[in-house]
Amino acid sequence: MSHQLPEDQQRFAAPAADSLPLSDGDPDRTSVAILAGDEPVGMFALDRGGYFRKFQDSPSAVLLRAFYVASDHQGHGYARAAVAAVPAFVREHLPGVDRVVLTVNTRNPTAIHTYTSGGFTDTGKTYLGGTSGPQHILELTL
Ligand SMILES: CC(C)(COP(=O)(O)OP(=O)(O)OC[C@H]1O[C@@H](n2cnc3c(N)ncnc32)[C@H](O)[C@@H]1OP(=O)(O)O)[C@@H](O)C(=O)NCCC(=O)NCCS
């Protein structure tokens, strides 16, 4: 995969070339391709460890992270479809998980809209540990 993101979005997510290797050898982290037919157009990861353990200690919660749709494929509904598919995917592949948690930069209205349209709700809490500024903490109860 050689996905690119527009320069002004690069602070929000890293492309697969950078984030996929992080799943190697990490039993807590599962990388998921977003496919349009056979073509990978983006990805996300589900992480049962990771930085959200700084603010979330429930063993039945998983962090959705590293979510993006590549530049050439944006605006076609792929992110919306991927978010809609998350609950069924988690139920099938991560039994025992009952909540999906994510953080999203407060200056990323497109992603916030995509997640909340897909059923995520704002917890009202903010995560300040990222490198690109404050992030809302959203969650989806399965
Ligand atoms: C956020 C992102 C995943 C959206 O991907 P996408 O496939 O283009 O989104 P979709 O086509 O499924 O559209 C989802 C919603 O966002 C809206 N949207 C998409 N691009 C938009 C834009 N540039 N400006 C405003 N709204 C936009 C769509 O209208 C749609 O809303 P609707 O269902 O009410 O019509 C993509 O922009 C991205 O990868 N950004 C960089 C990485 C990132 O921010 N990841 C999130 C990290 S938490």
Side-chain angles (χ1 to χ4, degrees):
M1 248 196 266
S2 56
H3 286 160
Q4 307 290 330
L5 286 170
E7 198 171 337
D8 63 345
Q9 295 179 1
Q10 289 172 4
R11 63 200 159 130
F12 299 138
D18 296 325
S19 67
L20 264 183
L22 300 175
S23 292
D24 295 345
D26 183 348
D28 284 333
R29 183 167 170 140
T30 303
S31 290
V32 183
I34 302 171
L35 299 176
D38 291 334
E39 184 178 7
V41 297
M43 66 160 285
F44 59 87
L46 295 166
D47 193 351
R48 298 189 78 161
Y51 71 90
F52 86 132
R53 291 300 173 201
K54 294 176 184 167
F55 57 85
Q56 171 63 255
D57 58 9
S58 168
S60 61
V62 70
L63 178 71
L64 187 152
R65 65 190 305 183
F67 184 99
Y68 75 83
V69 168
S71 309
D72 294 350
H73 302 285
Q74 291 185 7
H76 296 289
Y78 296 135
R80 185 172 52 227
V83 170
V86 163
F89 185 92
V90 170
R91 283 191 195 98
E92 181 178 350
H93 295 281
L94 297 175
V97 169
D98 61 13
R99 193 159 17 127
V100 182
V101 180
L102 63 84
T103 68
V104 56
N105 195 288
T106 58
R107 291 173 297 168
N108 193 354
T110 303
I112 293 168
H113 173 74
T114 302
Y115 293 135
T116 55
S117 299
F120 281 84
T121 54
D122 191 339
T123 63
K125 297 175 190 160
T126 305
Y127 178 67
L128 298 173
T131 54
S132 300
Q135 300 181 53
H136 299 297
I137 301 175
L138 274 52
E139 66 179 27
L140 173 69
T141 300
L142 302 182

Coordinates of all heavy atoms in Angstrom, one line a residue, residues 78-140:
Y78 N -16.5 6.0 1.9 CA -15.8 4.9 2.5 C -15.6 5.0 4.0 O -15.7 3.9 4.7 CB -14.4 4.7 1.8 CG -14.5 4.4 0.3 CD1 -13.7 5.0 -0.6 CD2 -15.4 3.4 -0.2 CE1 -13.8 4.8 -2.0 CE2 -15.5 3.1 -1.5 CZ -14.7 3.8 -2.4 OH -14.8 3.5 -3.7
A79 N -15.3 6.2 4.5 CA -15.2 6.3 5.9 C -16.5 6.0 6.6 O -16.6 5.3 7.6 CB -14.6 7.7 6.3
R80 N -17.5 6.6 6.1 CA -18.9 6.4 6.6 C -19.2 4.9 6.7 O -19.7 4.3 7.7 CB -19.9 7.1 5.8 CG -21.3 7.1 6.4 CD -22.3 8.0 5.6 NE -22.2 7.8 4.2 CZ -22.1 8.7 3.2 NH1 -22.0 10.0 3.6 NH2 -22.1 8.4 2.0
A81 N -18.9 4.2 5.6 CA -19.2 2.7 5.5 C -18.3 2.0 6.5 O -18.8 1.0 7.2 CB -19.0 2.2 4.1
A82 N -17.1 2.4 6.6 CA -16.2 1.7 7.6 C -16.6 1.9 9.0 O -16.6 0.9 9.8 CB -14.7 2.2 7.4
V83 N -17.0 3.1 9.4 CA -17.5 3.3 10.7 C -18.7 2.5 11.0 O -18.9 1.8 12.1 CB -17.7 4.8 11.0 CG1 -18.5 5.0 12.3 CG2 -16.4 5.6 11.0
A84 N -19.6 2.4 10.0 CA -20.8 1.6 10.2 C -20.5 0.1 10.4 O -21.3 -0.6 11.0 CB -21.8 1.8 9.0
A85 N -19.4 -0.3 9.8 CA -19.1 -1.7 9.9 C -18.3 -2.1 11.2 O -18.2 -3.3 11.5 CB -18.2 -2.1 8.7
V86 N -17.9 -1.1 11.9 CA -17.1 -1.4 13.1 C -17.8 -2.3 14.1 O -17.2 -3.3 14.6 CB -16.6 -0.1 13.7 CG1 -16.1 -0.3 15.2 CG2 -15.5 0.5 12.9
P87 N -19.0 -2.0 14.5 CA -19.7 -2.9 15.6 C -19.7 -4.3 15.2 O -19.3 -5.2 16.0 CB -21.1 -2.3 15.7 CG -20.9 -0.8 15.3 CD -19.9 -0.9 14.1
A88 N -20.1 -4.7 14.0 CA -20.2 -6.1 13.6 C -18.8 -6.7 13.5 O -18.6 -7.8 13.9 CB -20.9 -6.2 12.2
F89 N -17.8 -5.9 13.1 CA -16.4 -6.4 13.0 C -15.9 -6.7 14.4 O -15.3 -7.8 14.6 CB -15.5 -5.4 12.3 CG -14.1 -5.9 12.1 CD1 -13.8 -6.5 10.9 CD2 -13.2 -5.8 13.1 CE1 -12.5 -7.0 10.7 CE2 -11.9 -6.3 12.9 CZ -11.6 -6.9 11.7
V90 N -16.1 -5.8 15.3 CA -15.6 -6.0 16.7 C -16.3 -7.2 17.3 O -15.7 -8.0 18.0 CB -15.8 -4.7 17.5 CG1 -15.5 -5.0 19.0 CG2 -14.9 -3.6 17.0
R91 N -17.6 -7.3 17.2 CA -18.3 -8.5 17.8 C -17.8 -9.8 17.2 O -17.6 -10.7 18.0 CB -19.8 -8.4 17.4 CG -20.6 -7.4 18.3 CD -22.1 -7.5 18.1 NE -22.8 -6.4 18.6 CZ -23.2 -5.4 17.9 NH1 -23.1 -5.4 16.6 NH2 -23.8 -4.3 18.5
E92 N -17.5 -9.8 15.9 CA -17.0 -11.0 15.3 C -15.5 -11.4 15.7 O -15.2 -12.5 16.0 CB -17.1 -11.0 13.8 CG -16.6 -12.3 13.1 CD -16.8 -12.2 11.6 OE1 -17.4 -11.3 11.1 OE2 -16.3 -13.2 11.0
H93 N -14.7 -10.3 15.7 CA -13.3 -10.6 15.9 C -12.7 -10.3 17.3 O -11.6 -10.8 17.6 CB -12.5 -9.8 14.9 CG -12.8 -10.1 13.4 ND1 -12.2 -11.2 12.8 CD2 -13.6 -9.6 12.5 CE1 -12.7 -11.4 11.6 NE2 -13.6 -10.4 11.4
L94 N -13.4 -9.6 18.1 CA -12.9 -9.3 19.4 C -14.0 -9.6 20.4 O -14.6 -8.7 21.1 CB -12.5 -7.8 19.5 CG -11.4 -7.3 18.6 CD1 -11.2 -5.8 18.8 CD2 -10.1 -8.1 19.0
P95 N -14.3 -10.9 20.6 CA -15.4 -11.2 21.6 C -15.0 -10.7 23.0 O -13.9 -10.7 23.4 CB -15.4 -12.8 21.5 CG -14.1 -13.2 20.8 CD -13.7 -12.0 20.0
G96 N -16.1 -10.3 23.7 CA -15.9 -9.7 25.0 C -15.7 -8.2 25.0 O -15.8 -7.6 26.1
V97 N -15.5 -7.6 23.9 CA -15.4 -6.2 23.8 C -16.8 -5.6 23.7 O -17.6 -6.1 22.9 CB -14.6 -5.7 22.6 CG1 -14.7 -4.2 22.4 CG2 -13.1 -6.1 22.8
D98 N -17.2 -4.6 24.6 CA -18.5 -4.0 24.5 C -18.5 -2.5 24.3 O -19.5 -1.9 24.3 CB -19.3 -4.4 25.8 CG -18.6 -3.8 27.1 OD1 -17.7 -3.0 26.9 OD2 -19.0 -4.2 28.2
R99 N -17.3 -2.0 24.1 CA -17.2 -0.5 23.9 C -16.0 -0.2 23.0 O -14.9 -0.7 23.2 CB -17.1 0.2 25.2 CG -17.3 1.7 25.2 CD -17.7 2.3 26.5 NE -17.4 1.4 27.6 CZ -16.7 1.8 28.7 NH1 -16.2 3.0 28.7 NH2 -16.5 1.0 29.7
V100 N -16.3 0.7 22.0 CA -15.2 1.2 21.2 C -15.0 2.6 21.5 O -15.9 3.4 21.5 CB -15.5 1.0 19.7 CG1 -14.4 1.5 18.8 CG2 -15.9 -0.4 19.3
V101 N -13.7 3.0 21.8 CA -13.3 4.3 22.2 C -12.4 4.9 21.2 O -11.6 4.1 20.6 CB -12.6 4.2 23.6 CG1 -12.2 5.6 24.1 CG2 -13.6 3.6 24.6
L102 N -12.5 6.2 21.0 CA -11.5 6.8 20.1 C -11.2 8.2 20.5 O -12.0 8.8 21.3 CB -11.9 6.8 18.6 CG -13.2 7.5 18.2 CD1 -13.0 9.0 18.0 CD2 -13.9 6.9 17.0
T103 N -10.1 8.8 20.1 CA -9.8 10.2 20.3 C -9.7 10.9 18.9 O -9.2 10.3 18.0 CB -8.6 10.5 21.1 OG1 -7.4 10.1 20.3 CG2 -8.6 9.7 22.4
V104 N -10.3 12.1 18.8 CA -10.2 12.8 17.5 C -9.9 14.3 17.8 O -10.5 14.9 18.7 CB -11.6 12.6 16.8 CG1 -12.8 13.0 17.6 CG2 -11.6 13.3 15.4
N105 N -9.0 14.8 17.0 CA -8.6 16.2 17.2 C -9.8 17.1 17.2 O -10.6 17.0 16.3 CB -7.5 16.5 16.1 CG -6.8 17.7 16.5 OD1 -7.3 18.8 16.4 ND2 -5.5 17.5 16.9
T106 N -9.8 18.1 18.1 CA -10.9 19.0 18.1 C -10.9 19.9 16.8 O -12.0 20.5 16.6 CB -10.7 20.0 19.3 OG1 -9.5 20.7 19.3 CG2 -10.8 19.2 20.6
R107 N -9.8 19.9 16.1 CA -9.8 20.7 14.8 C -10.0 19.8 13.6 O -9.5 20.1 12.5 CB -8.5 21.5 14.7 CG -8.4 22.6 15.8 CD -7.0 23.2 15.7 NE -6.0 22.3 16.1 CZ -4.7 22.4 16.0 NH1 -4.2 23.5 15.5 NH2 -3.8 21.5 16.4
N108 N -10.7 18.7 13.8 CA -10.9 17.8 12.7 C -12.4 17.5 12.5 O -12.9 16.4 12.8 CB -10.2 16.5 13.0 CG -10.1 15.5 11.7 OD1 -10.7 15.8 10.7 ND2 -9.4 14.4 11.9
P109 N -13.2 18.6 12.1 CA -14.6 18.4 12.0 C -15.1 17.3 11.1 O -16.2 16.7 11.4 CB -15.1 19.8 11.5 CG -13.9 20.4 10.9 CD -12.7 19.9 11.6
T110 N -14.4 17.0 10.0 CA -14.9 16.0 9.1 C -14.9 14.6 9.8 O -15.8 13.9 9.7 CB -13.9 15.9 7.9 OG1 -14.0 17.2 7.2 CG2 -14.4 14.9 6.9
A111 N -13.8 14.4 10.5 CA -13.7 13.1 11.3 C -14.8 13.0 12.4 O -15.4 12.0 12.6 CB -12.3 12.8 11.8
I112 N -14.9 14.1 13.1 CA -15.9 14.2 14.2 C -17.3 13.9 13.6 O -18.0 13.1 14.2 CB -15.8 15.6 14.9 CG1 -14.5 15.7 15.6 CG2 -17.0 15.7 15.9 CD1 -14.3 17.2 16.1
H113 N -17.6 14.5 12.5 CA -18.9 14.3 11.9 C -19.1 12.9 11.5 O -20.1 12.3 11.7 CB -19.1 15.3 10.7 CG -20.3 15.0 9.9 ND1 -21.5 15.4 10.3 CD2 -20.5 14.4 8.7 CE1 -22.4 15.0 9.4 NE2 -21.8 14.4 8.4
T114 N -18.0 12.3 10.9 CA -18.1 10.9 10.4 C -18.3 10.0 11.6 O -19.2 9.1 11.5 CB -16.8 10.6 9.7 OG1 -16.6 11.5 8.6 CG2 -16.8 9.1 9.2
Y115 N -17.6 10.2 12.7 CA -17.8 9.3 13.8 C -19.2 9.4 14.5 O -19.8 8.4 14.8 CB -16.7 9.5 14.8 CG -15.3 9.2 14.4 CD1 -14.2 10.1 14.6 CD2 -15.0 8.0 13.8 CE1 -12.9 9.7 14.3 CE2 -13.7 7.6 13.4 CZ -12.7 8.5 13.7 OH -11.4 8.2 13.3
T116 N -19.6 10.7 14.7 CA -20.9 10.9 15.4 C -22.0 10.4 14.5 O -23.0 9.9 15.0 CB -21.0 12.3 15.9 OG1 -20.9 13.2 14.8 CG2 -20.0 12.7 16.9
S117 N -21.9 10.6 13.2 CA -23.0 10.1 12.3 C -23.1 8.6 12.4 O -24.1 8.0 12.2 CB -22.7 10.5 10.8 OG -22.6 11.9 10.7
G118 N -21.9 8.0 12.7 CA -21.9 6.5 12.8 C -22.3 6.0 14.1 O -22.1 4.8 14.4
G119 N -22.7 6.8 15.0 CA -23.2 6.3 16.3 C -22.3 6.6 17.5 O -22.7 6.3 18.7
F120 N -21.1 7.1 17.3 CA -20.2 7.5 18.4 C -20.7 8.7 19.1 O -21.3 9.6 18.4 CB -18.8 7.8 17.9 CG -18.0 6.5 17.6 CD1 -18.1 5.9 16.4 CD2 -17.1 6.0 18.6 CE1 -17.3 4.7 16.1 CE2 -16.4 4.9 18.3 CZ -16.5 4.2 17.1
T121 N -20.6 8.7 20.4 CA -21.0 9.9 21.2 C -19.8 10.5 21.9 O -18.9 9.8 22.3 CB -22.1 9.6 22.2 OG1 -21.7 8.5 23.0 CG2 -23.4 9.1 21.5
D122 N -19.9 11.8 22.1 CA -18.8 12.6 22.7 C -19.0 12.3 24.2 O -20.0 12.6 24.8 CB -18.9 14.1 22.4 CG -17.7 14.8 22.8 OD1 -17.0 14.4 23.7 OD2 -17.5 15.9 22.3
T123 N -17.9 11.8 24.9 CA -18.0 11.6 26.3 C -17.9 12.9 27.1 O -18.1 12.9 28.3 CB -16.8 10.7 26.8 OG1 -15.6 11.4 26.5 CG2 -16.8 9.4 26.0
G124 N -17.5 14.0 26.4 CA -17.3 15.3 27.1 C -16.0 15.4 27.7 O -15.6 16.4 28.2
K125 N -15.2 14.3 27.6 CA -13.8 14.3 28.1 C -12.8 14.7 27.0 O -13.1 14.5 25.8 CB -13.4 13.0 28.7 CG -14.3 12.6 29.9 CD -14.0 11.2 30.3 CE -15.0 10.7 31.4 NZ -15.0 9.3 31.5
T126 N -11.7 15.2 27.4 CA -10.7 15.6 26.4 C -9.4 14.9 26.7 O -9.0 14.8 27.9 CB -10.5 17.1 26.5 OG1 -11.7 17.8 26.3 CG2 -9.5 17.6 25.4
Y127 N -8.7 14.4 25.6 CA -7.4 13.8 25.8 C -6.3 14.8 25.4 O -6.4 15.4 24.3 CB -7.3 12.5 24.9 CG -5.9 11.9 25.0 CD1 -5.5 11.3 26.1 CD2 -5.1 11.8 23.9 CE1 -4.3 10.7 26.2 CE2 -3.9 11.2 23.9 CZ -3.5 10.6 25.1 OH -2.2 10.0 25.1
L128 N -5.4 15.1 26.2 CA -4.4 16.1 26.0 C -3.0 15.6 25.6 O -2.0 16.3 25.5 CB -4.3 17.1 27.2 CG -5.6 17.8 27.5 CD1 -5.4 18.6 28.8 CD2 -6.0 18.8 26.4
G129 N -2.9 14.2 25.5 CA -1.6 13.6 25.4 C -1.0 13.5 24.0 O 0.1 13.1 23.8
G130 N -1.8 14.0 23.0 CA -1.4 13.8 21.6 C -0.4 15.0 21.2 O -0.2 15.9 22.0
T131 N 0.2 14.8 20.1 CA 1.2 15.8 19.6 C 0.6 16.9 18.8 O 1.3 17.9 18.5 CB 2.3 15.1 18.8 OG1 1.7 14.4 17.7 CG2 3.1 14.2 19.6
S132 N -0.7 16.8 18.4 CA -1.3 17.8 17.5 C -2.4 18.6 18.2 O -3.3 19.1 17.5 CB -1.9 17.1 16.3 OG -0.8 16.5 15.6
G133 N -2.4 18.6 19.5 CA -3.5 19.4 20.2 C -4.5 18.5 20.9 O -4.5 17.3 20.7
P134 N -5.5 19.2 21.5 CA -6.5 18.5 22.3 C -7.4 17.6 21.4 O -7.6 17.9 20.2 CB -7.4 19.6 22.9 CG -6.6 20.8 22.7 CD -5.6 20.6 21.6
Q135 N -7.8 16.5 22.0 CA -8.7 15.5 21.3 C -9.9 15.2 22.1 O -9.8 15.0 23.3 CB -7.9 14.2 21.0 CG -6.7 14.5 20.1 CD -6.0 13.2 19.8 OE1 -6.6 12.2 19.3 NE2 -4.7 13.1 20.1
H136 N -11.1 15.2 21.4 CA -12.3 14.7 22.1 C -12.2 13.2 22.2 O -11.6 12.5 21.4 CB -13.5 15.0 21.2 CG -13.8 16.5 20.9 ND1 -14.1 17.4 21.9 CD2 -13.8 17.1 19.7 CE1 -14.3 18.5 21.4 NE2 -14.1 18.4 20.0
I137 N -12.8 12.7 23.3 CA -12.9 11.3 23.5 C -14.3 10.9 23.2 O -15.3 11.3 23.8 CB -12.5 10.9 25.0 CG1 -11.1 11.3 25.3 CG2 -12.7 9.4 25.2 CD1 -10.7 11.1 26.7
L138 N -14.4 10.0 22.2 CA -15.8 9.5 21.7 C -15.9 8.1 22.1 O -14.8 7.3 22.1 CB -15.9 9.8 20.2 CG -16.4 11.1 19.7 CD1 -15.7 12.3 20.3 CD2 -16.4 11.1 18.2
E139 N -17.1 7.6 22.2 CA -17.2 6.1 22.4 C -18.5 5.6 21.8 O -19.5 6.4 21.6 CB -17.1 5.8 23.9 CG -18.2 6.3 24.7 CD -18.1 5.8 26.2 OE1 -17.0 5.6 26.6 OE2 -19.1 5.7 26.8
L140 N -18.5 4.3 21.5 CA -19.7 3.7 21.0 C -19.9 2.4 21.8 O -19.0 1.5 21.9 CB -19.4 3.3 19.5 CG -20.4 2.4 18.8 CD1 -21.7 3.2 18.6 CD2 -19.9 2.0 17.4

